[in-house]
Amino acid sequence: MGAALARAAQWTAAGSGTGTLEITPLNESLLNQIIKFAEDFSTRHPREAAFVFREPLEWKTQLGSSVFGEGYEINEATVQSEAKGEDGQPLLLLTASTLRVRSFDQLSCLLQIAVERKLKEAQACLEANRDPIVKILGPEYGTVEGEDMSMLHLFDKVKKDDDPETEMKMRIFLLLHQLDLQLLNSSLKHISQDVRLNPAAINNEVNLLKNFSGEGEDTVLESLKYTSDYTFSNGCRAPPWRQVHGEICYLVIKPHDTDPLYITCSTAGVFLNGGEINGKDGIDYERKSDVYKDIVTFLRERSPRFVENMAKQSDLASFDGHERKTSGRFEDVSESSSETEEDEEQPVRHQEGNTDLPSEYWGIQKLAKYLKGGNPTATVIALCSMRDFNLAQETCQLAIRDIGCLEVLINLLDTEEIKCQIGSLKILKEISQNTLIRHAIADLGGLQIMVKILDSPDKDLKCLAAETIANVARFKRARRTVRQHGGIKRLVGLLECISVGSTSLTPYQAKDTEIARCGALALWSCSKSSKNKEAIRKAGGIPLLGRWLRCSHANILTPVVGTLQECASEPSYRLAIRTEGMIENLVKNLSSEHEELQMHCASAIFKCAEDKETRDLVRQHGGLQPLSVLLGNAENKQLLAAVTGAIWKCAISGENVSKFREYKVIEALVGLLTDQPEEVLVNIVGALGECCQEPINRTIIRKCDGIPPLVKLLTGTDQALLVNVTKAVGACATEPENMMIIDRLDGVRLLWSLLKNPNPDVQASAAWAICPCIENAKDAGEMVRSFVGGLELIVNLLKSKNKEVLASVCAAITNIAKDEENLAVITDHGVVPLLSKLANTNNDKLRRHLAEAISHCCMWGSNRVAFGETKAVAPLVRYLKSNDPSVHRATAQALYQLSEDPNNCITMHENGVVKLLLAMVGSTDETLQEAAAGCIANIRRLALATEKAKYG
């Protein structure tokens, strides 16, 4: 456990060594394994569980005394266990918020008491006890880097003295060591998925950057050089004793706007090192920054000038045709993001000429001279006068830009005159609602100054700067500027406040709340970029947003929830929203009077409910009923899209579907199937598709006339909608009464035509839907034959490269092949060699449906022989080694059919099929049992016939 925490767990950077465990999928996995180990310890190792720790594990807990019950003495906020050590001290002691635990027994009980807070408690315990083994067994068992000899010392000690305590420690140490290995192994899976750099990739990047570096204003860097010219045979320039740490080389980079940067390039990525050691010929190898995926990403975070000049180097994209692949990395300077409708605002050019300009335009022009040339008092008066105009009007906004006032307003931000700064920001805040003005402010360097103002002691000034940033940062370049000039960290700092949760606020607290509101607004705008989401998380924004989520003021809740739902597209945020207990507050605010707040809460649930734990929490906190009620608000399409999305994802859990049926959600969803935007329809049909997994709900959909509008949607073009509607229609088709309606409405023909759709997801979804249609149609064979070219189309889909398409088409072929006439047709279209070509697969889903298809296709002509000739038999035998029982069943049936041909029997026998099938003859699955026995019987029959022919 000590080694895993030191080497595998992901900690936040902290100079003093008191970092915290980051909320990441890897850490959650490690914590859950540690919790399971500790929870089960008492039952699995009762003697060891009673062992009293050398020192107590001590941490700040969030559990109150009220959660403790039998087995504990409770005195107000103090709790102590009735179980005591030999020294008479309790084995668990809670005083105020400090918890001390001295045995695995008590640790196990505590985790069971903590229920849903156990993850947070385990996290707090491990953060406070970085090497818990030392506390449990003593310092001689501490985690050491390099060769750990403690195990050998233990063996020696146990051999020398027959001390029961040493033997007990030995057993506990071995159990903890076993846990350590398990944790390190599981972390390897996560780590192996990270991007790994190599010497060639780094060398390419260095050479490319060198081409665009040197003297001159537009070069991306002043200089870039390796610290060593010597290259080892493996391409590394780092000395061998550093290569063992994955280090490849060291660079000295001089950007135009920062001191020289000393960086290490390693297989894990690129990071800042300690630079040259004064007076010595060497490098301080210690890591001084986060790790970045490559040199360009590292420099983007360090040098705004680098980013500006990179953007100017537009010829990088076409730089030497053969270098295009490498240079592609530079083309994404605009950064990847989750931005959609405002991905890149294009300012509309203002019509030139001064014809028909209203009087406001000329009024602002007169004020301009006072603004430009006056003393501070005159400037303040001019600013106040300018605010008397209707600044929401486009004419006034563009007048300020056209007559050069915008530059003056931005220059005023850089003065020491607070009144001038406030006056200027009040105007900029209003006019920055205009797209053209936003771009102009960014072009004139206004954002950089506003970010600096966030450090001002004046609260009004900070609020105005944050609100203006919120308006301006609605396009990529502006968002990037805010991050690169340290804006994200400062904006997160504005959320720090002591008045969270207060209902009646003092004027001082009200101002703090207003600062937090403005900070949240700016973070909301900035959070549309994936890099900014990461920056908000690293700056400690998640717990602060979580704290504000507990307050009751809608004006701050809206931007807080807006930011969270924007960030919930990232797995680390979804995990944090769940573990920080935010789902309860999101559910609570679904019942708010403010529709915008309801919409953002529903949207956050929509994104977070991808995870089962979150779906359960939404139900447990009573969130399904308010979602059902909000379906009645069909006029607000944005709210409806968010609510139907949340219902769709929550309906993935069967327990939630039962609740939705109770709240008449299925009827309400069917009622919304017409005259809705596609965004809403995708979610409604997605939800119905999930609800349709239960027979009773398929009946409800039929009874409230839901099938005709669903079938009608099969004629649409939206890919996401088609994937969902095919799933819903396919699920409905499992009921014969529903199938009659689908057939009457020509639904099967529409599904078949979707097999021509270029999108593999649509193809697969349509093929899966066709399966129940064939199974439940009255005359399925005739129906399938009526589709001209339909059978050739489905056979040709076996050439797809998509595993899901292949599995679904094999399933459809299984159903088609049940009709002898259709089986003859698909055989003529070459189904046998195409199925055989797929046999060498490791995908269990494909294996199962492929084996079923082969089994059914054996029923025609010489197909059994053809499968043998096209080399399908030997790979099928290997399927029996799969861990999936459904694969065993389908494979045994296929092998039974194939074993009717003598040559196939020989191939099977040579590939060791008998031993594998013998194990399955005793299966409780009768179909598998019969198929395995039948196949062995055929092989045995052939062997006997051969012997008889040989010896008479």
Side-chain angles (χ1 to χ4, degrees), residues 173-203:
F173 184 76
L174 286 170
L175 290 168
L176 292 170
H177 184 68
Q178 201 177 347
L179 172 65
D180 233 346
L181 290 175
Q182 181 191 324
L183 296 175
L184 288 166
N185 277 336
S186 72
S187 71
L188 276 174
K189 284 184 190 171
H190 291 266
I191 292 161
S192 63
Q193 290 162 6
D194 291 346
V195 175
R196 315 301 284 175
L197 288 181
N198 58 49
I202 290 164
N203 207 33

Side-chain angles (χ1 to χ4, degrees), residues 59 61 63-68 75-81 92-100:
W59 70 93
T61 180
L63 300 174
S65 57
S66 58
V67 299
F68 292 89
N75 182 10
E76 293 177 1
T78 303
V79 177
Q80 58 178 30
S81 60
L92 179 144
L93 179 63
L94 170 66
T95 49
S97 63
T98 301
L99 190 58
R100 293 178 186 83

Side-chain angles (χ1 to χ4, degrees), residues 356-410:
D356 301 327
L357 287 171
S359 57
E360 287 90 345
Y361 192 96
W362 305 115
I364 286 174
Q365 195 168 45
K366 283 177 192 171
L367 278 175
K369 59 183 176 186
Y370 297 107
L371 197 60
K372 289 176 181 176
N375 58 32
T377 308
T379 302
V380 170
I381 292 167
L383 289 167
C384 292
S385 304
M386 197 172 276
R387 286 196 63 222
D388 290 338
F389 286 92
N390 180 6
L391 296 177
Q393 198 177 336
E394 191 179 33
T395 308
C396 296
Q397 294 167 350
L398 296 178
I400 290 170
R401 186 200 64 162
D402 294 348
I403 56 186
C405 283
L406 205 51
E407 290 90 330
V408 179
L409 290 169
I410 288 168

Side-chain angles (χ1 to χ4, degrees), residues 657 661 666 691-692 694-702:
V657 173
R661 187 167 61 248
I666 295 151
C691 293
C692 275
E694 293 183 8
I696 188 169
N697 296 335
R698 299 197 280 268
T699 306
I700 292 170
I701 289 172
R702 183 181 74 249

Side-chain angles (χ1 to χ4, degrees), residues 105 295 332 357-358 569 657 679 693 702 769 808 820 843 896-897 901:
D105 242 338
I295 302 167
D332 71 352
L357 287 171
S569 55
V657 173
E679 185 189 8
Q693 303 309 307
R702 183 181 74 249
S808 61
E820 197 175 72
N843 182 300
Y896 174 46
Q897 290 300 329
D901 173 62

Side-chain angles (χ1 to χ4, degrees), residues 585-592 598 601-602 605 623 626-627 630 643:
N585 296 101
L586 290 171
V587 164
K588 190 176 97 181
N589 287 307
L590 286 172
S591 305
S592 163
Q598 289 175 317
C601 287
I605 291 169
L627 283 172
L630 286 171
V643 168

